[in-house]
Amino acid sequence: MTPPPGWYRDPSAPHQERWWDGAAWTEHRRAPEPVGYGPAVGAPDPGPGTRSGGRGKAVALTAAAAVLVGAIVTGVFVLREDDGGSPRTQTPPVTATATGPAPVSDPPSPAPSASEPSADDPSLVEDQLNGITFPLPDGWVRPKYVAEDDVMMTTDGTYDCPADGSVCRHGLVVSRTVTANAESAPKVLAQQDIEDAADDAYDRDLIGNKPFGGIESHQEVASGPVAVAGRAGYYVRWRVKTAKGPGGYVQSTVFPSTVGTESPILVRYVFDAGEDGPPLADMARITKGIRPVGDADTGGGVGSGIGPTD
């Protein structure tokens, strides 16, 4: 006596129809349609091989079973409710489609930014993945509408890139975990990363354009040990000259994480050169201010000098 799958009057809301899957009520609902008008739009697709003659059969089944089965289904629903169960309800209605009912859903939320405000201090930016915080100097903001992953902060405002007219920023700070390299020595990792850091910043962007016309030359201007969050790390800094625009400075800083497996953390700095770029002293200021989450006092130690800033 179990009714076949189909759209029946919803026992909990008679003004609408609800999908019975042959064994239980589903959460799919719709506004009633005139009996005999086309197929049961919104019914789950039976799949290939079972569709021939489906239009006429669907009409006949719906019309013939509507009265008799409606009473049976209502009885089943009441019995289940008497057993202590209560049907789940869905606040928004269901939008019926030709291939099957689908609940109305809110637009997908944007992916959370890798950079989050610190719960304790709005002047700090938290890298939740690596368990560290960064100070947010004057002139720097949390990232908005930035295509590159793992950006912790950018300089405030944008400008038209000198070569292709896309949008550029005068400064970026990026933080990521080094996972695709068997090497763990901060010095080796920083030396290996600096060329990629320069190319990503001033040669080609994510879609292959050359915002600055490409890199013409580079020069290492500073390198050495540095303490970050109480750990001994290493940094390498290049001065990069580009075909258009003033070029800039890139720095790769690597140090062991203070959490988990102590995987190396890579922090990249990208600073435009020229009067519009951020002061190089911000590299030292930001590096010195990196702390483990919840620890405001850790810092200094071996190699705490950041080296030249010009």
Side-chain angles (χ1 to χ4, degrees), residues 142-168:
R142 296 178 181 85
K144 292 183 179 179
Y145 314 111
V146 178
E148 186 177 354
D149 292 335
D150 308 320
V151 176
M152 293 294 106
M153 66 185 78
T154 71
T155 47
D156 196 5
T158 61
Y159 66 97
D160 292 335
C161 302
D164 64 7
S166 57
V167 175
C168 284

Side-chain angles (χ1 to χ4, degrees), residues 15 47 54 72 97 141 211 215:
H15 64 283
I72 297 173
T97 65
V141 296
I215 294 176

Side-chain angles (χ1 to χ4, degrees), residues 50 79 95-96 99 191 257 292:
T50 62
L79 286 175
T95 300
T99 58
Q191 291 172 335
S257 173

